[in-house]
Amino acid sequence: MNTALPYRRSLRTLVALGLGAGVLSGCSSDSEPAASGGSGDCSSLEGETITIVVPYEPGGGYDSYTRLVAPYIEEEIGATIAVQNQPGAGGLLALNSLLAEDADGTTLAIMNGVGAGGSSIAGAEGANFSLDDFTYIGRVASDPSLLVTSATGPYQTFEDVVAADEFRWGSTGPGAEDYVTSSLISAVFDIPGEVVTGFPGSGETELAVVQGSIDGMSGNLTSRRGAVEDDTQTPVLVVGEERPDWLPEDVPTVAELETTEEQSELLDAHLALIELGRPFVGPPGMDEAAMSCLRTAMAAAMENPELVTESQEQERELAFLPGDELEGLVQDLMDAPPAYSELLATLY
Amino acid sequence: MSAAESRHTTSPARTEEIGMADPAPQAPSRRSSTGAVADVVLGLLLLALFGWAFLEAADWSFKAAIFPRIVTGLGFSVAFLQVVQSLLRLAGGRRAAGARTPVTSPAGPIEPVPAESVPQAAGTTAEDDANEDDVEYVFQTAGARRWTEAIAWVTGFFVLLYVAGLFVTAPLFSVLYLRFAGKRSWTFCAIYAVTIGAVLYAAFELALGIPVPPGLFLD
Amino acid sequence: MLSEAISGLTQVFQPLPLALMLLGVAIGFLVGILPGLGGAVTLALMLPFTFDMQPVEAFAFLLGMWVVTSTTGDITSVLFGVPGEATSAATVLDGHPMTKRGEGGRALGAVLFSSALGAVFGALVLALAIPVIRPVVLAFAPPEFFALTMLGLTFVVALSGKHLLKGFIMAAFGLLIALVGLDPQEGTQRYTFEQLYLWDGIGIVPLVVGLFGGAEVLQLMLSKRSIASADGGATPEASLSGVGQGIRDVLRHWPLVIRSSAIGTGVGIVPGLGGSVAQFMAYGAAQQSSKTPEMFGKGAVEGVIASGAVNNAKDSGSLIPTIGFGIPGGAGSAVLLSAFLIVGLNPGEEMLTTSLDVTFSMIWVTVLANFIAVAAAFFVLKPLTRLTFISGPLLVPFLLLLLALGAYTASNSFADVLVMIVAAIVGVVCIRYDWPRVPFLLAVVLGSLAERYLFLSYSLFGWDWLTRPIVLGIGAVMLLAIVGPVVRRARARSRAEKRPEQSGVSA
């Protein structure tokens, strides 16, 4: 099951892969642009305006990533790229309406793998799409989570958390990434506890962790960096493939934990969902030429040294994965054990 | 406010300028009863809304329903009180209408503390000019024709915006409105329309790159 | 600390940061005038330009832009009755009536000058808070937030004017509107009518724009006159000469400026509450303490002063948790937080120790940018005020477009425009039949927060949350806020009873 994972990060950190950090099967790649669609004929898109829809308000992570990458893809294609924010229904609204857009490559969206993908797998209300509906252009970033606990609380390692009599997570609400990840970890490792929901945003949840009124939370890995280095939050578990170098060595990743087969099946499926990360997707059945153009252009743009430098300066780590590999990942997810989708269905 | 109202009604010059139907001296008492009727009607509408919203919460889990129940329950009770009070006032007002002219409370027959503002408002008259509650005044006195016209223009604007998008609506509506409602010359309308279209295009499309209503055909 | 303060100042007073700040102020100035297009959105749009900048330069640019939007948002509120920002709604209530009676200059003078003073106050608090910033932030948890939202709701009493019962109904209506969407604990759909758009609730920006701006535009279409009344001798010149008087008004009401600024800063610190709440708390407090509360809503200069000061003070307040813990106090500071990372700063301990000079430079920028913006605003006051004297129909197409754009830019959906239209209808009906609008808006803003924080308080602390000292303190203030007006009413009533004809049925 544990095969090597695609690694081509030209980016800041490369931590020891450890004992098969990867969980995903079947995808290996190198740093070459996706070869699938041939040379990438962009004649149909040249001079056009391509809209990339961000399903959230301006200023958030998805927005920043899109605005960061867009100019470099623009350069490759010779088209104008307009970034549009279309918040609504926790990001589902924009993806639902993407289904009906023209599949000529002029409308794309950035997807929230865990949020939107999870809703779709769970069959949650509001997600009117299946993950394999979309045309995958390429992944901008992976989206691992970090479980943190209060620095002043009694639980300073993941073992403490598992051994807790009652562990209280904080979350914004069902269906949110923090809710899904923390509930899933609780369920898989049989941690007795509850998820306190209703926080207006991750900022307020963090505040409650720092104050110690909840025991811990799950959150975006890179966003936790400041608090971890500031020693107000203790990192306990990386829910993702690799541990960045700013985290202490003794913070395990999920793959480094000892698990039963049943547990690892669920975790693997969830890691695949996390691995989906933040991809650019297009409407179903996109025009072949436009798709190969976009895939090739994105692959080339993500290699651009200027973009790489800029993303490092912004501490926005890029993790490109070509569209055809994302398709494989989606296929894995569609084939995930039913126990996983049943578990997810309780969380949305 | 009441002081100002009565002042308006005694100002024929303004009346004409605004072009409203009849500000005749009998207005206060009639207005007070339409006000009370409106309060009853609005109160009943809100009562129905709260009632519906309360029942709607029946299917939800306890946690999701408790706060809506409290809110709609309170809203229902207060709206009920309000309706009863307005009805009482309406009945009382009818009886009293023949006997006296309700100088003090033309606009709000329901006010729980009626007298409070009157002396002070009168005291400050010199300083506060006749326009202080212009909006209320205009809404109350504009004739049916003006209302129809205004609402027709607004409806037209938003339908046009929905169908044709911002960059068509902005110049087109400007020309039509200024020409037919504003009675301006065609030249003036054209300059206005071109300017406003160009400024919006430059600001939203070129400078900021922020999406605007695209219309049905340009999506 | 003093040396860092000076070092911060000298870092701002370099050619490049100063130039960037001016650029930021200019952008913020324009954006603030466009309704709907808020400070947070603009910050997000401008963020990419800061990639190559040094920390002080980046903050000079971004902060300069951000703090200015709340000042210039007030300008459209006063002149056209269309709030430039969701946080400028309270300014409409008194600023616009003043414009209508030809006192636009005085209103603008008052709002701009009190904005500048509010900014200075907020910056001062921020500077003084630096040693205690972390304990202060840690003292506020959901129970305290809940108590604050309740305190905000008590202002319904003050803001209802004479129609207390109607005020309560409108507040309940507002709370009901706030319930639309997914419930915060379990994600149950409430009053969403199967519409995905409604999942996230009713947007506050379209609501504010419609509720206040819609009625004004319709009124202009009905009356076909200029905004400012031409009779009574009001002319652009006379109106402009009122600017000085507006400034004097502010100086005369200095305790009001301080209290409103304090409310702004205090509410700004609390993550999640934000400016749309703060403005009405300050406005309600101003009305309660005023000698002529019945003038509020009809052009009381005190109302204008309070809403001007609170707006700019809250920006500094919301920087406090951002700097102290990297936890944003509002939408704008959330975007600023990404700017910290871009320029390589870690919010938290570092900002209070090794990078303290940068923190101080931020404080200086908020003060300087505000003064520059206010000075610039005084400069363009003349042409803007003239606009209110030109014929009404000329402004109608322009203002209708502002309304539509202001609503649409909230989430780039035509549904926002529909929300705005419905809100405008509510606003018109409220004015026509004398129902108070402000309690409605206040309840919409506070409703969802109240529910969240109530349940969070209980989940986190059981019933113990009721005994937390700050909660008790806020409770006492609430009691005063309710008892005060009741006593005043009772007194007014006993006065009124001396005149037998006036004692209404309600007594």
Side-chain angles (χ1 to χ4, degrees):
Chain A
M1 180 88 205
N2 289 1
T3 51
L5 180 72
Y7 269 130
R8 89 224 57 73
R9 303 200 174 182
S10 42
L11 291 175
R12 22 180 321 121
T13 63
L14 263 195
V15 179
L17 252 182
L19 328 150
V23 227
L24 305 167
S25 44
C27 22
S28 65
S29 83
D30 51 26
S31 56
E32 294 304 307
S36 59
S39 63
D41 168 24
C42 284
S43 55
S44 69
L45 288 172
E46 234 165 282
E48 295 282 312
T49 299
I50 300 174
T51 304
I52 304 185
V53 178
V54 177
Y56 304 95
E57 309 261 339
Y62 288 88
D63 186 62
S64 309
Y65 267 117
T66 311
R67 289 179 198 279
L68 172 69
V69 174
Y72 295 93
I73 300 181
E74 204 169 40
E75 209 175 284
E76 293 290 333
I77 304 180
T80 312
I81 295 186
V83 178
Q84 267 191 21
N85 301 84
Q86 206 186 88
L92 296 179
L93 191 68
L95 288 173
N96 284 339
S97 50
L98 184 68
L99 289 179
E101 292 288 346
D102 280 343
D104 59 359
T106 55
T107 313
L108 304 176
I110 185 165
M111 180 200 259
N112 173 345
V114 178
S119 317
S120 166
I121 295 173
E125 213 175 332
N128 304 334
F129 50 84
S130 162
L131 271 182
D132 55 2
D133 281 346
F134 295 110
T135 307
Y136 289 82
I137 306 300
R139 182 179 72 185
V140 181
S142 67
D143 204 4
S145 300
L146 181 66
L147 301 188
V148 291
T149 58
S150 173
T152 53
Y155 314 107
Q156 296 301 310
T157 64
F158 188 64
E159 279 137 46
D160 293 345
V161 173
V162 175
D165 291 331
E166 201 206 356
F167 192 86
R168 303 211 299 174
W169 305 95
S171 157
T172 48
E177 287 160 79
D178 54 2
Y179 185 85
V180 174
T181 303
S182 49
S183 312
L184 193 115
I185 295 290
S186 285
V188 170
F189 290 95
D190 210 13
I191 301 167
E194 57 166 336
V195 184
V196 176
T197 54
F199 286 96
S202 65
E204 285 84 349
T205 324
E206 270 186 78
L207 188 59
V209 172
V210 175
Q211 288 168 341
S213 50
I214 50 175
D215 298 314
M217 68 182 282
S218 156
N220 178 278
L221 179 69
T222 32
S223 311
R224 302 274 86 71
R225 181 174 179 176
V228 168
E229 289 179 347
D230 204 25
D231 285 333
T232 52
Q233 299 171 16
T234 308
V236 293
L237 180 69
V238 178
V239 189
E241 304 293 348
E242 60 169 314
R243 174 178 44 241
D245 59 358
W246 51 266
L247 270 183
E249 289 279 322
D250 57 353
V251 179
T253 67
V254 171
E256 290 165 3
L257 297 172
E258 276 179 35
T259 51
T260 66
E261 192 157 335
E262 205 182 328
Q263 287 174 326
S264 70
E265 245 183 7
L266 290 170
L267 291 172
D268 286 353
H270 194 60
L271 283 179
L273 186 64
I274 286 177
E275 192 64 11
L276 198 54
R278 306 178 171 196
F280 284 147
V281 299
M286 190 189 285
D287 182 56
E288 273 299 323
M291 180 178 81
S292 75
C293 158
L294 288 167
R295 282 186 174 177
T296 319
M298 182 170 175
M302 298 295 281
E303 294 275 298
N304 189 324
E306 280 177 50
L307 173 59
V308 173
T309 328
E310 200 175 310
S311 74
Q312 283 170 5
E313 278 170 7
Q314 285 190 48
E315 296 196 15
R316 296 214 176 271
E317 200 165 325
L318 299 175
F320 178 66
L321 198 62
D324 47 355
E325 288 186 31
L326 286 170
E327 275 171 13
L329 208 52
V330 167
Q331 207 44 55
D332 289 351
L333 274 167
M334 305 306 283
D335 302 339
Y340 179 63
S341 53
E342 281 159 23
L343 181 55
L344 274 192
T346 63
L347 307 180
Y348 281 85
Chain B
M1 145 187 351
S2 40
E5 291 258 337
S6 44
R7 220 167 30 246
H8 284 313
T9 55
T10 57
S11 155
R14 273 176 52 80
T15 306
E16 261 170 40
E17 195 184 319
I18 294 205
M20 53 152 205
D22 64 329
Q26 90 273 17
S29 70
R30 197 198 60 190
R31 206 178 293 153
S32 104
S33 77
T34 48
V37 170
D39 280 344
V40 173
V41 172
L42 291 175
L44 284 173
L45 277 178
L46 285 165
L47 196 67
L49 178 72
F50 287 127
W52 166 81
F54 187 86
L55 295 177
E56 189 80 350
D59 302 338
W60 304 336
S61 69
F62 175 76
K63 265 187 168 179
I66 178 79
F67 201 75
R69 286 252 169 90
I70 295 172
V71 167
T72 52
L74 281 178
F76 190 86
S77 333
V78 193
F80 183 73
L81 266 179
Q82 150 80 18
V83 169
V84 169
Q85 205 185 44
S86 310
L87 283 173
L88 284 177
R89 261 166 205 268
L90 200 57
R94 287 256 160 80
R95 254 178 279 124
R100 68 184 172 105
T101 321
V103 197
T104 50
S105 56
I110 347 299
E111 45 195 316
V113 192
E116 184 179 14
S117 71
V118 176
Q120 283 125 323
T124 49
T125 326
E127 176 189 315
D128 61 55
D129 192 292
N131 285 311
E132 57 180 17
D133 30 323
D134 218 358
V135 186
E136 287 144 77
Y137 180 67
V138 170
F139 284 164
Q140 277 173 3
T141 53
R145 205 171 135 241
R146 290 228 158 184
W147 272 103
T148 327
E149 268 179 35
I151 288 171
W153 278 114
V154 173
T155 315
F157 174 82
F158 285 110
V159 170
L160 190 63
L161 187 70
Y162 180 70
V163 174
L166 181 86
F167 294 126
V168 175
T169 306
L172 190 59
F173 181 83
S174 304
V175 167
L176 293 177
Y177 186 81
L178 293 178
R179 178 68 197 145
F180 296 108
K183 306 268 189 296
R184 299 281 159 163
S185 73
W186 282 111
T187 334
F188 181 89
C189 296
I191 295 172
Y192 189 108
V194 168
T195 317
I196 208 164
V199 166
L200 286 178
Y201 190 79
F204 284 88
E205 192 72 21
L206 301 179
L208 293 167
I210 285 181
V212 295
L216 292 180
F217 307 109
L218 233 169
D219 203 359
Chain C
M1 196 162 135
L2 192 66
S3 67
E4 277 92 354
I6 294 165
S7 147
L9 184 63
T10 48
Q11 285 184 50
V12 175
F13 266 105
Q14 302 295 321
L16 193 57
L18 219 49
L20 282 168
M21 183 174 79
L22 287 177
L23 181 65
V25 168
I27 296 173
F29 200 98
L30 293 176
V31 164
I33 287 183
L34 294 174
L37 204 58
V41 179
T42 325
L43 279 181
L45 292 176
M46 295 299 153
L47 211 50
F49 295 104
T50 59
F51 292 159
D52 302 325
M53 295 182 191
Q54 295 299 309
V56 174
E57 296 163 15
F59 284 120
F61 178 62
L62 294 175
L63 271 178
M65 184 162 58
W66 182 49
V67 296
V68 164
T69 51
S70 42
T71 310
T72 50
D74 287 341
I75 295 180
T76 42
S77 295
V78 169
L79 291 180
F80 307 120
V82 181
E85 306 284 318
T87 52
S88 295
T91 320
V92 175
L93 297 175
D94 285 293
H96 194 55
M98 285 180 75
T99 303
K100 282 192 199 160
R101 61 170 189 237
E103 290 189 326
R106 181 179 168 198
L108 283 176
V111 80
L112 290 174
F113 191 58
S114 74
S115 291
L117 292 185
V120 174
F121 182 93
L124 206 63
V125 170
L126 177 54
L128 292 176
I130 283 174
V132 290
I133 211 164
R134 287 166 73 108
V136 163
V137 173
L138 286 183
F140 281 84
E144 284 75 26
F145 300 161
F146 176 72
L148 278 172
T149 59
M150 285 295 110
L151 179 63
L153 277 178
T154 58
F155 285 109
V156 164
V157 178
L159 295 169
S160 301
K162 293 171 295 177
H163 308 292
L164 200 54
L165 208 49
K166 285 181 177 177
F168 283 138
I169 299 176
M170 289 308 283
F173 184 32
L175 290 174
L176 180 61
I177 296 296
L179 288 173
V180 174
L182 299 185
D183 100 272
Q185 281 112 60
E186 298 178 333
T188 310
Q189 292 186 43
R190 297 192 299 204
Y191 312 119
T192 53
F193 305 99
E194 313 280 309
Q195 294 296 310
L196 278 180
Y197 170 78
L198 291 175
W199 277 28
D200 292 346
I202 304 276
I204 196 74
V205 172
L207 195 80
V208 168
V209 169
L211 198 60
F212 291 93
E216 296 305 329
V217 177
L218 189 63
Q219 185 241 335
L220 215 54
M221 297 179 82
L222 289 171
S223 76
K224 296 199 171 181
R225 294 183 307 127
S226 61
I227 295 177
S229 150
D231 51 61
T235 59
E237 287 69 31
S239 172
L240 279 171
S241 68
V243 172
Q245 196 192 343
I247 294 176
R248 281 193 298 279
D249 285 329
V250 174
L251 293 174
R252 196 154 49 89
H253 292 288
W254 62 268
L256 180 65
V257 176
I258 291 179
R259 193 175 49 237
S260 310
S261 308
I263 291 174
T265 318
V267 174
I269 295 176
V270 179
L273 278 189
S276 25
V277 177
Q279 57 178 346
F280 289 114
M281 290 177 78
Y283 185 85
Q287 185 172 14
Q288 273 178 350
S289 63
S290 168
K291 288 194 192 74
T292 53
E294 70 284 347
M295 286 307 295
F296 273 68
K298 295 171 198 160
V301 78
E302 292 143 285
V304 179
I305 294 171
S307 30
V310 68
N311 249 343
N312 292 39
K314 66 138 203 314
D315 293 341
S316 301
S318 76
L319 281 177
I320 290 179
T322 317
I323 292 175
F325 284 96
I327 292 168
S333 41
V335 184
L336 277 177
L337 191 61
S338 0
F340 276 92
L341 298 177
I342 289 177
V343 298
L345 284 173
N346 282 325
E349 197 71 53
E350 188 187 312
M351 291 301 293
L352 308 174
T353 51
T354 48
S355 302
L356 190 59
D357 53 336
V358 179
T359 307
F360 268 105
S361 77
M362 294 169 69
I363 296 175
W364 286 115
V365 168
T366 51
V367 174
L368 279 175
N370 261 295
F371 272 100
I372 293 171
V374 167
F378 278 122
F379 215 66
V380 297
L381 225 55
K382 209 168 185 171
L384 283 175
T385 312
R386 256 174 216 287
L387 276 181
T388 63
F389 283 88
I390 68 173
S391 161
L394 282 188
L395 289 174
V396 166
F398 169 70
L399 290 178
L400 272 177
L401 286 164
L402 279 193
L403 289 186
L405 281 172
Y408 188 83
T409 47
S411 67
N412 298 327
S413 151
F414 208 82
D416 292 325
V417 179
L418 294 181
V419 168
M420 188 273 290
I421 295 173
V422 173
I425 295 172
V426 172
V428 169
V429 170
C430 280
I431 293 177
R432 172 65 183 85
Y433 298 107
D434 212 9
W435 288 62
R437 286 178 292 179
V438 185
F440 170 72
L441 183 60
L442 188 67
V444 175
V445 174
L446 288 173
S448 60
L449 291 171
E451 185 184 14
R452 275 174 193 280
Y453 288 131
L454 177 60
F455 280 104
L456 272 178
S457 302
Y458 181 73
S459 317
L460 294 177
F461 303 102
W463 290 113
D464 289 348
W465 68 268
L466 283 165
T467 57
R468 290 166 69 99
I470 299 181
V471 173
L472 290 175
I474 298 172
V477 175
M478 263 163 67
L479 215 60
L480 283 178
I482 295 173
V483 171
V486 169
V487 168
R488 219 187 334 236
R489 263 163 215 277
R491 224 180 271 153
R493 190 168 303 181
S494 71
R495 257 206 319 272
E497 261 152 23
K498 290 181 185 131
R499 302 188 300 164
E501 199 218 41
Q502 308 280 346
S503 52
V505 188
S506 68

